[in-house]
Amino acid sequence: KLKGFSIFQLIWLFRLIQTLRNSGRFSFNQNQNIKNLSTLSLEEAYKILNLNIKDKITENDVNKAHINIQKKIHPDVSPETARLSSIVNEAKDIILSNLN
């Protein structure tokens, strides 16, 4: 169901899933546990959006990174990525709320 993904996009998606699984925020089980519902740390949010926490990030930078990722994993593209899409949205919200 992940038709149209380049090898680079698949590698990036694999790395994102690994990061989230290692932090306990993502599993392939249908029954998501409570730990998967917890909020992300600021550092994890930057990592998910592939931004450097040490750089001076603007709201525009966050939105661009979010859009680029969502183009690849939005549920309209592939329903299997709905959980990933919600995590990316959460990461964007965390970063934007900490910019101010």
Side-chain angles (χ1 to χ4, degrees), residues 81-93:
T81 59
R83 176 72 179 126
L84 287 175
S85 182
S86 68
I87 293 169
V88 170
N89 287 336
E90 182 181 356
K92 174 190 163 200
D93 293 340

Side-chain angles (χ1 to χ4, degrees), residues 4-64:
F5 279 83
S6 71
I7 189 71
F8 298 109
Q9 291 170 326
L10 289 174
I11 291 169
W12 177 87
L13 187 58
F14 175 76
R15 288 178 49 210
L16 173 61
I17 291 171
Q18 265 191 318
T19 300
L20 295 172
R21 286 184 73 197
N22 290 340
S23 69
R25 289 183 169 67
F26 181 82
S27 75
F28 288 103
N29 298 334
Q30 292 295 342
N31 300 325
Q32 298 290 324
N33 61 28
I34 299 300
K35 193 173 181 186
N36 286 339
L37 300 176
S38 63
T39 60
L40 300 169
S41 70
L42 185 60
E43 184 178 320
E44 289 171 329
Y46 272 88
K47 192 170 186 178
I48 288 169
L49 291 184
N50 201 26
L51 297 171
N52 189 345
I53 198 165
K54 295 176 184 177
D55 292 344
K56 176 95 170 133
I57 302 296
T58 65
E59 184 175 337
N60 192 32
D61 296 331
V62 174
N63 287 328
K64 282 182 182 178

